[in-house]
Each structure stands twice: as structure tokens, then as C-alpha cells.
């Protein structure tokens, strides 16, 4: 393993409110916690005021709103002094164009068109004016103004360049002479002339497949890596599926980084029909993904599969319908192709080899049906041909009348795997899946939303210990330095929300009764939204009115059932906006919610600790998302980017290091901090313990409630053992562990639990004793 790869990472969301100076101040705490590296959100110059950094406007400089180059260098110096590393988040697929004057390359492109030195940077059709969907109505073109010197067109606060020599006349006359056209925002989905990030017209796709563009847009970040290779471990690549040729891009990047740098891709791998997780293409020189596959596996362990039938019945009764997930996904994908990514579908259809008698609408329909049929986000021809074949077969079977065109598309793609048709189909299929599944279906198909997670499989109700062990062993063997995660800035809900919701799989009848009572008292305009809303309330409790209102507004518009971002329903939006205040001001409702949450929270905390320990101690390089070393009940962004109380975490860690063992029923999360720090520190200072993987099987009446594995040594002589409790409600109902024991490797009896600091009794300890204080244990033999 490369010495540049850290033992773990700690993800920090940088912003003008949490800048380089703030990060530098946290380095000491991260070192004390046991983290191996600071994993930063993007650091290049973004749009003014950006709170996330994924809308880079100038890839040649560091974000001055974070403190600029001097502050970045100071942060790197602090990390070096503390013995920590850094992982940089890089966004190669797109750049922010919402504020043209902030983006020098986009400003030049708009001003000079094909003559711009940046004309090759963007995936844009420069044979026609660039459409910019910004006007509030078609008539708003009359509201354009010209600057006094004739060099800029202005639309309220928006500014656009005027090409040299074209500034004479009225603003409308000048506008007609430009290399762009400002148009009504509704025209963007169907007529946009540049590729964008999903449906976000303010993020324009960059052609990093062009070596010159690659060099220009990567020089600064590669300079950082080269200047401090002992600190900067490597790069996390955002959304590689959006790139024209991700394999070629990664090979070029690996050549520049060198073999020992850490290279991760934010690639969402799909769960295949046979239960196996999609693998990265073999030709990609990446070390692995950012860990959504591990998230699904770890979280799924704590979902009781026996609860599926009743959960399904509750959801069906509440919504009045049963719908297979595959049907819901296809419906949502076709909504995306037919209403949101219309311009992309048209562009692909224009590349399909023509035949006499072709009907333009039929060709577009065939393209859309093929895109909606992909079983994964995209294929990478000539690799991944089986995924294309499955998509072709699915589309042809579902729509036989389109089969001839679909198969013609297939033939053309196979004949020219690097051709424009293939590349456009592959780029767009990922967009269709992301928008149709993650951003639509996962807000609609709400029977059990703990499973509705990025990279998740909501129709797979839980993960068995056997499946978990197979996946973990495969990760240890195949991708040992891939990242693993439980929460990210992109997850739909935090790990602790999912851990609490997992308890509902064991208390299905109680959950159904509560849902019926509360939804009758406080209805919403959509039964599907009600299912999502009440699970969110229980999972993220306590919630403020603002947090709940912001979440439901976003969720309802993403679902696109009764309102949407594009076609908002004012009456529905008002009802949804008023709902949080109605719920939270009703004393009986609040009392019932609080009582229900109090009744399940001990079990939820057990799930949270189990998830955390299994993830940190398991195969891969674990990431801790900011703040989640304590119990942290957040929903989708921007809720999960709220400020973290680091002073409180420092205080609690200091008490733990002073010898304090928090009580098992501690509601503030000090137990989670204890477990997190114990595991992170052990990974950092005894890395030899975190190699290999072997399942351990408990023996006794409650064996199914324990999940355990061993690492760090030859088979049968491992020196690290990890133990967690699963399905705690059922365990309690059965009377506890009784005489269940856990035989330890090699029959050794010199084990110590690093969480409690206590010696283990014997080589096959009783779980009732081993887990008497906490529902997890981290056992180690002396070095």
C-alpha cells in the first residue's frame, strides 16, 4: 500500500463561513480524534458566495473567499506538522456560468464566440448562438439594458459581454448581434445548445477530453499535489460519469499524479440483479469509489427483512397503490427524457444513422426508451457491453415498435465505441438515471426511506450478515484502499437518521399505527409525501419549523407528483409550507412524536454505534463526514451542511481522554465519539491490524443478532476483532444474549476491548458480558 494513502479521512465542507483558517484551527482536533487526513470540498475559485464549491469559475486559482493561496499553504503546513494528509475534491466535468463576469473563460466565449481562445473548453454548439435561459418571460428581452460604454448587456443583476464593434443601437438590436441569446428560462430543457450538469443550466460541461483543456484546467491542482506530495495524498474526482471519456481522463490524470497517489472516483455503482455490486471498469486506474456501495451494505445490516411484508402493506394502504420499484424508476426516467433532458435526447437522435422512412419523433422516442432502460448509470464501450445489451433488450421488449431503431442505435454504438453517438448516449444515460432515480424516484417510492439512499436499492429490504461478509471480503481483496462512507454531502439523510428508521423495520405494527394517527390529524396534499414526511420527522427528530419546511419543499418538488421546480402549484406549495408549523404547534402531536422517538432511541443508538464501528474498522479507507462523530440527525442538503459544534466535540473528547466512559444511554453522542476515536486511532497507529478479512460467527440462541469479523494476521490467528449488535428490538424481546458466545481467533485469551479499555474474559467470551456496557466491541491482542 502506498504511504500516501491515509488511514482514514474526515470530510469538511469548506465555505466562506468555514474557511481555510477555520480548517487550520481544526487540525489539532482531527489529529486527536485519530483521523488520517482532511478531506476537503472543492478548493478552486467558485461562483461568488458559493457554499459548496462545486460551481468552479476559475480553475487556475484557489478560492479567495476561503482565504486564498496564503491560507491554503498555511493549512497544508498545519497538516504536515500534525502528521496528517489531505485529499482534494476536484470537479472536472463542469464549471459555474451563473455569473458570467466571474468566469473568465465563459465571458470570453460569450463575447468572442468561435474566435475565443476558450472556444474549445466547453461542450457547446458554436454554429448557432449560445442559448442562455435566464429571462423571466419571452417579453423580458425588452427589459435588457446597455451599459453606458456599450460593452455590456444587462438584465437586472445579470451582466453579459458585448462583442467588439457590435455595441451600437438599442439593447435589443445589440442583443441580436451577439454570440449568445438570452431566452425564457423554460426554453432551456428543450433547446439548450451546451451540455450541462444534469438539468442545471448554470453549470456548463467542460471538455477535459481535449488534452489542452485538461492541462489548462488541472495545472493548479496538480501543482498543489506536486508541491506537497507528502501531505496531499491525491484527488477525489467528482461525477466521472459526466465526462466524455472517463477512462481516458483517468489514465491521463494517473500519468500526471504518479502511481503512488490516491485516486478516487465519485462513481455510483449499481446493485445487479444477481446481488453483485457493479465493478469499476478494469481499465480505470482508480483506487476505488467514494463508498456508496459500503454505505448500502453496512446500513442494510440493521434492517430486519422480516418487516418487509408489513411495511409494504402499510405503504400500499396509505397510498392506495402497489408499484414495483422498477416501474416507478422507468416512469421517472421517461419523465426526465421527455421533459427535462429534451435537448440532450434531440442531440442524440440527430446522430442516429438515418434510414428511409424514419420518423423524427419515433427516433427520439427510441433514444429515450434506451436511455431509460439502462440497468446501470452508463456503459463504457467497449467495456460494459453487457449493460448496453441489457438496455437494448429491455427497451425492445417493452416497446417492440421501437425495437428496429433501438437495435440500429446498438449496432452503430458497437461499430464505433468512441464515436459521438456512443459518447452522447453514455453521458446522457447517467444523467437520466441520476435525475430519474436519485432525484425523483427516491422521493416518490417511500415505503421505507432508510433504504432510499444514493447507490441504494430500496426494493432490497436489508442485507444479511452472509451478504455483508461476502462484500467486505471482496473489498478487502479487490479494492482495499477504496473509500467507505456512511454520510456525505450528497446523502439523502444522515447515518443516524437511517439508524433510527431501521428500528421501524422491527416495530412495523407500531409504526403503522402512528402513521395512521398522525397523517389523519395532519394531512398533506400527497399520500406519498406523507409517508416521506412522517418518516423524516421520526428519523430527524427534533426538527425546527425551518428545517422541516425547507426539506419538504425540496422533497415535494423533486418528487414532481403534486408540484415541481419547473411547474410549481402555488396552492400545494402553500399547504406544504404551512404543514411544519401546524405539526409542531400541536401539543398532542409533539408529545406523541417525542414519546415514540424516546421509545426507540436506545435501539437507534445501538444501530448507530454498530454502523460506525463496522464501517471504520472494516475494509477500505473510512471517511467520517463532518460532525458525525456525535449523533447527528440531518436531512438532505443544505440541512447536512449546517455548522458543526466543534467546541462541544473537543470538550467531550477531552473528557474521554481524561478517563471518562460515557453512559450507554448517553443521548448526546459521547458514546459514538468514544467508538469513533477508538477505531480511528487504532487504524492510524496500528495499520497492520486492518488487513485481510474473516467473518466470525457467534454461537448460541442469539447468534443472529451479532455481526463480527476478524482482521490483521494469518487466517485463524488474526489480532483484531470487531463486534456489533444488530436488530436490537428482537434481541431484547428474546430476553437478551442469554448464553450466546463469540469464539475468538486462535483460542487466544489476551484480548482487550479498545472501547472500554477492559480485558476480555476468555477465548470465547459471553456476549452478555462483552457487550454489557456498549452494543459494540473492538478487541485487540498485544502487538
Amino acid at each position: 500500500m502506498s504511504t500516501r494513502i491515509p488511514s482514514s479521512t474526515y470530510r469538511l465542507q469548506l465555505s466562506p463561513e468555514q474557511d481555510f483558517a477555520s480548517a487550520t484551527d481544526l487540525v489539532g482536533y482531527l489529529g486527536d480524534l485519530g483521523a488520517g487526513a482532511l478531506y476537503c470540498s472543492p478548493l478552486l475559485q467558485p461562483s461568488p458566495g458559493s457554499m459548496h464549491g462545486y460551481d468552479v469559475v476559475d480553475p487556475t486559482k484557489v478560492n479567495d473567499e476561503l482565504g486564498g493561496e496564503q491560507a491554503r499553504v498555511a493549512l497544508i503546513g498545519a497538516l504536515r506538522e500534525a502528521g496528517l494528509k489531505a485529499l482534494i475534491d476536484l470537479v472536472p466535468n463542469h464549471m459555474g456560468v451563473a455569473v458570467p463576469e466571474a468566469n473568465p473563460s465563459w465571458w470570453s466565449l460569450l463575447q468572442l464566440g468561435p474566435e475565443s481562445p476558450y472556444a474549445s473548453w466547453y461542450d457547446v454548439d458554436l454554429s448557432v448562438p449560445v442559448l442562455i435561459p435566464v429571462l423571466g418571460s419571452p417579453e423580458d428581452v425588452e427589459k435588457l439594458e446597455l451599459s453606458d460604454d456599450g460593452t455590456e448587456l444587462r438584465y437586472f443583476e445579470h451582466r453579459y459581454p458585448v462583442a467588439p464593434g457590435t455595441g451600437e443601437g438599442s439593447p435589443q438590436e445589440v442583443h441580436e448581434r451577439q454570440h449568445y441569446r438570452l431566452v425564457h428560462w423554460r426554453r432551456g430543457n428543450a433547446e439548450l445548445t451546451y451540455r450541462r450538469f444534469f438539468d442545471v443550466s448554470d453549470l456548463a460541461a467542460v471538455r477535459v477530453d481535449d488534452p489542452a483543456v485538461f492541462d489548462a484546467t488541472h495545472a493548479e491542482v496538480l501543482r498543489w499535489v506536486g508541491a506537497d506530495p507528502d501531505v496531499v495524498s491525491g484527488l477525489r474526482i467528482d461525477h466521472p460519469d459526466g465526462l466524455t471519456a472517463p477512462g481516458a481522463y483517468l489514465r491521463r490524470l494517473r500519468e500526471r499524479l504518479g502511481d503512488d497517489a490516491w485516486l478516487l472516483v465519485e462513481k455510483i455503482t449499481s446493485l445487479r440483479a444477481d446481488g453483485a455490486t457493479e465493478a469499476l471498469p478494469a481499465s480505470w486506474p482508480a483506487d476505488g469509489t467514494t463508498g456508496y456501495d459500503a454505505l448500502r451494505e453496512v446500513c442494510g445490516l440493521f434492517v430486519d427483512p422480516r418487516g418487509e411484508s408489513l411495511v409494504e402493506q402499510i405503504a400500499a394502504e396509505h397510498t392506495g397503490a402497489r408499484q414495483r420499484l422498477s416501474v416507478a424508476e422507468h416512469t421517472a426516467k421517461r419523465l426526465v427524457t421527455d421533459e427535462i433532458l429534451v435537448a440532450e435526447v434531440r442531440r442524440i437522435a440527430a446522430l442516429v444513422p438515418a434510414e428511409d422512412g424514419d420518423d423524427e419523433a419515433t427516433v427520439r422516442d427510441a433514444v429515450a426508451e434506451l436511455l431509460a432502460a439502462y440497468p446501470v448509470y452508463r456503459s463504457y464501450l467497449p467495456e460494459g457491453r453487457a449493460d448496453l445489451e441489457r438496455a437494448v433488450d429491455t427497451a425492445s421488449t417493452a416497446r417492440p415498435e421501437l425495437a428496429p431503431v433501438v437495435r440500429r442505435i446498438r449496432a452503430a454504438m458497437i461499430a464505433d465505441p468512441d464515436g459521438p453517438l456512443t459518447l452522447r448516449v453514455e453521458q446522457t444515460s447517467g444523467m437520466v438515471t441520476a435525475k430519474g432515480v436519485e432525484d425523483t424516484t427516491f422521493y416518490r417510492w417511500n415505503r421505507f426511506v432508510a433504504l432510499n439512499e444514493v447507490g441504494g436499492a430500496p426494493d432490497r429490504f436489508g442485507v444479511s450478515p452472509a451478504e455483508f461478509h461476502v462484500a467486505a471480503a471482496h473489498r478487502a481483496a479487490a479494492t482495499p484502499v477504496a473509500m467507505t462512507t456512511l454520510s456525505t454531502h450528497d446523502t439523502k439523510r444522515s447515518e443516524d437518521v437511517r439508524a433510527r428508521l431501521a428500528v421501524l423495520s422491527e416495530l412495523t405494527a407500531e409504526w403503522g399505527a402512528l402513521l395512521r394517527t398522525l397523517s389523519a390529524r395532519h394531512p398533506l396534499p400527497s399520500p406519498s409525501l406523507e409517508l416521506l414526511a412522517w418518516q423524516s420527522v421520526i428519523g430527524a427528530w427534533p426538527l425546527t419549523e425551518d428545517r422541516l419546511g425547507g426539506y419538504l419543499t425540496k422533497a415535494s418538488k423533486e418528487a414532481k407528483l403534486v408540484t415541481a421546480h419547473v411547474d410549481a402549484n402555488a396552492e400545494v406549495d402553500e399547504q406544504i409550507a404551512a404543514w411544519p408549523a401546524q405539526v409542531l404547534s400541536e401539543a398532542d402531536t409533539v408529545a406523541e412524536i417525542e414519546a415514540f422517538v424516546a421509545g426507540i432511541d436506545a435501539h437507534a443508538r445501538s444501530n448507530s454505534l454498530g454502523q460506525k464501528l463496522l464501517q471504520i474498522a472494516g475494509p477500505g479507507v473510512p471517511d467520517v463526514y463532518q460532525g458525525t462523530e456525535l449523533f447527528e440527525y440531518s436531512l438532505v442538503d443544505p440541512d447536512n451542511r449546517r455548522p458543526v459544534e466543534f467546541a462541544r466535540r473537543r470538550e467531550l473528547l477531552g473528557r474521554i481522554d481524561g478517563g471518562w466512559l460515557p453512559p450507554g444511554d448517553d443521548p448526546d453522542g459521547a458514546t459514538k465519539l468514544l467508538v469513533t476515536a477508538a477505531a480511528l486511532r487504532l487504524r492510524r497507529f496500528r495499520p497492520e491490524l486492518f488487513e485481510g478479512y474473516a467473518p466470525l460467527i457467534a454461537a448460541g440462541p442469539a447468534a443472529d443478532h451479532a455481526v463480527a469479523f476478524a482482521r490483521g494476521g494469518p487466517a485463524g490467528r488474526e489480532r483484531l476483532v470487531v463486534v456489533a449488535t444488530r436488530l436490537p428490538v428482537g434481541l431484547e424481546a428474546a430476553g437478551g444474549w442469554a448464553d450466546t458466545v463469540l469464539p475468538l481467533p486462535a483460542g487466544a485469551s489476551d484480548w482487550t476491548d479498545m472501547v472500554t479499555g477492559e480485558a476480555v474474559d476468555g477465548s470465547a467470551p459471553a456476549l452478555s458480558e462483552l457487550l454489557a456496557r456498549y452494543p459494540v466491541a473492538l478487541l485487540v491482542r498485544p502487538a
Side-chain angles (χ1 to χ4, degrees), residues 531-549:
L531 267 179
L532 176 61
W534 287 116
Q535 288 177 80
S536 301
V537 167
I538 296 301
W541 190 263
L543 278 163
T544 64
E545 183 181 327
D546 285 346
R547 288 179 60 208
L548 181 55

